[in-house]
Amino acid sequence: MSRCANEYVGVIVVSGDEKTQSKVEQAKGKVKEAAGRTVGNERLEAEGRAEQAKGDARQAKEKIKDVFKH
């Protein structure tokens, strides 16, 4: 079952918009974490948390870039 969850959230977003990518990474991370928790897969849960953190970092980077644009 966890393999199926991996396949579902393994979608690659081809977008040049970093803000969109950060939101997608955060959402994918939440789905992975929830799927891991549901099936009792600690590795999948950890991957989800890591992906959310990656999205958070990307979002923070974009906010900093926006500050220097104005």
Side-chain angles (χ1 to χ4, degrees), residues 2-28:
S2 63
R3 182 170 180 250
C4 182
N6 261 339
E7 290 172 4
Y8 174 71
V9 294
V11 177
I12 297 173
V13 175
V14 181
S15 171
D17 187 10
E18 292 282 328
K19 290 178 184 178
T20 302
Q21 267 189 320
S22 70
K23 293 290 185 190
V24 169
E25 282 176 344
Q26 291 168 336
K28 281 176 32 179

Side-chain angles (χ1 to χ4, degrees), residues 19-59:
K19 290 178 184 178
T20 302
Q21 267 189 320
S22 70
K23 293 290 185 190
V24 169
E25 282 176 344
Q26 291 168 336
K28 281 176 32 179
K30 287 180 183 182
V31 170
K32 272 188 180 181
E33 184 178 7
R37 191 176 306 118
T38 300
V39 298
N41 186 330
E42 291 179 10
R43 183 185 61 86
L44 187 59
E45 221 177 313
E47 283 178 14
R49 284 191 299 273
E51 194 145 4
Q52 285 180 65
K54 185 177 172 185
D56 291 343
R58 187 183 302 264
Q59 186 176 32

Side-chain angles (χ1 to χ4, degrees), residues 50-70:
E51 194 145 4
Q52 285 180 65
K54 185 177 172 185
D56 291 343
R58 187 183 302 264
Q59 186 176 32
K61 179 184 87 171
E62 287 304 307
K63 285 182 179 181
I64 290 169
K65 283 172 48 178
D66 286 346
V67 166
F68 287 107
K69 281 184 182 177
H70 297 105

